[in-house]
Amino acid sequence: MTDIQVFPFFSSVSLEVFPCVTAMAALYTSGNVQGMAYEALEIEDARLTSELRIGATYIAVGQDEDGKQVQTHWMYCTQVAPHPTFGISRNHRIPGVYGPAPFLCSSLFVELEHLTNIVGRAAEPAANIDVAEFRLGEEGMLIATAFGTPHVMGIQVQLPFLPPHFLTGARNLVITAQSVRTGQTVVLPKLTCLRASSPAVFLQEDPL
């Protein structure tokens, strides 16, 4: 986004307010993860005209790559220094449920454990095989979403080699791996592939 103006947001109240932050450009991201929608804004070269408060709500307007004016959903201020960030996550299936979201280009997932020996398991009915195993990669990470309630668990796979059963959109997958730190076996069932390119991302399906 370019030509950014950030205004205080007051729910259900119409007030004429001045922008509290202006900037020539900002990093903006939005998307959906397992039933949760998110938006986030990070402004590195911000000019503050009034005080920001973490947890307070704000709304931003600016221009997209085509020069059209765009307006974000209202967002929480999640950070003031060293530069302002704003974010919100919304539950598609439960109206009115909101939460703050970090700047998600860099922090969509929380990394929990380094993994190795990552193996996928899937049913092979066409080949009359109940369960087939596929080595998906040597390195990966046990992850959880950085927003949402409850957080959704998953696995990232670095430099994956994925068979057709494990490409983007595949569901009801099972992945086993070994924790580098403890040597324990990690098993995650009911996974959906959200991204097949490196790092591949598999998240557990939303039970709701």
Side-chain angles (χ1 to χ4, degrees):
M1 291 176 65
T2 59
D3 296 328
I4 312 299
Q5 292 182 303
V6 179
F7 298 87
F9 176 81
F10 304 99
S11 178
S12 303
V13 176
S14 179
L15 291 175
E16 182 176 347
V17 294
F18 295 100
C20 53
V21 178
T22 60
M24 293 298 295
L27 297 174
Y28 170 75
T29 185
S30 64
N32 297 274
V33 175
Q34 296 298 81
M36 297 294 294
Y38 63 83
E39 292 186 54
L41 183 73
E42 181 178 50
I43 308 175
E44 293 192 0
D45 188 19
R47 295 181 295 277
L48 273 66
T49 58
S50 61
E51 182 182 6
L52 290 175
R53 293 185 294 113
I54 292 178
T57 54
Y58 299 86
I59 194 167
V61 296
Q63 294 184 354
D64 62 14
E65 294 178 353
D66 298 325
K68 297 179 181 178
Q69 188 175 54
V70 293
Q71 177 177 299
T72 68
H73 192 279
W74 64 265
M75 297 181 286
Y76 298 97
C77 177
T78 56
Q79 173 183 285
V80 175
H83 49 261
T85 62
F86 307 85
I88 186 172
S89 61
R90 294 173 284 149
N91 193 318
H92 281 312
R93 301 179 182 182
I94 309 176
V97 175
Y98 306 102
F103 183 65
L104 299 169
C105 279
S106 58
S107 54
L108 179 58
F109 302 113
V110 177
E111 297 181 343
L112 303 176
E113 287 280 342
H114 287 278
L115 302 175
T116 188
N117 300 326
I118 302 167
V119 174
R121 302 173 65 196
E124 285 273 30
N128 295 319
I129 301 174
D130 290 337
V131 175
E133 293 191 350
F134 307 89
R135 181 168 291 278
L136 306 182
E138 290 296 326
E139 296 183 10
M141 188 72 64
L142 181 66
I143 59 174
T145 53
F147 63 94
T149 304
H151 298 284
V152 179
M153 300 293 295
I155 289 179
Q156 280 184 343
V157 184
Q158 300 292 338
L159 301 176
F161 181 78
L162 302 181
H165 318 69
F166 286 80
L167 298 182
T168 302
R171 302 174 64 89
N172 202 28
L173 306 172
V174 178
I175 294 180
T176 65
Q178 186 177 18
S179 168
V180 172
R181 181 176 62 89
T182 66
Q184 291 177 300
T185 298
V186 175
V187 181
L188 283 188
K190 297 184 178 180
L191 293 167
T192 296
C193 180
L194 296 189
R195 183 173 63 201
S197 58
S198 185
V201 176
F202 300 87
L203 286 186
Q204 286 190 315
E205 299 171 22
D206 192 337
L208 296 177

